[in-house]
Amino acid sequence: MSTISKTRAITKKALVAAAKRGTKKAAAVGMNIDGYNIVAKNGWIVKLYQSGRVERLSKIARYHVSVLFD
């Protein structure tokens, strides 16, 4: 693996780790302010309450895209 490839891999790892930390922190703040978070879970958009209750809001549509090559 070249030095550039290693640097890109390290940079990507750092970016992914920072994004995960930021998302978790934002979810915790949102839960404390609103008492719930809205997330995608098992093919549904759901509302997760502080009590642990889960309310299904909408099923996520699945789209199949076919790509044609000339």
Side-chain angles (χ1 to χ4, degrees):
M1 184 181 273
S2 71
T3 304
I4 293 173
S5 294
K6 287 179 185 177
T7 302
R8 286 183 181 158
I10 292 169
T11 302
K12 181 179 177 184
K13 279 184 175 181
L15 179 62
V16 169
K20 284 182 181 180
R21 282 192 308 272
T23 300
K24 285 182 180 182
K25 185 174 181 179
V29 169
M31 184 67 80
N32 287 334
I33 292 171
D34 296 327
Y36 65 87
N37 283 331
I38 296 177
V39 298
K41 186 174 183 177
N42 298 328
W44 286 83
I45 301 297
V46 299
K47 190 182 277 191
L48 300 174
Y49 291 92
Q50 282 180 331
S51 66
R53 183 170 71 97
V54 177
E55 178 184 344
R56 286 183 173 178
L57 300 177
S58 178
K59 187 158 179 63
I60 298 173
R62 296 186 186 261
Y63 295 98
H64 297 281
V65 178
S66 60
V67 179
L68 302 175
F69 295 97
D70 292 335

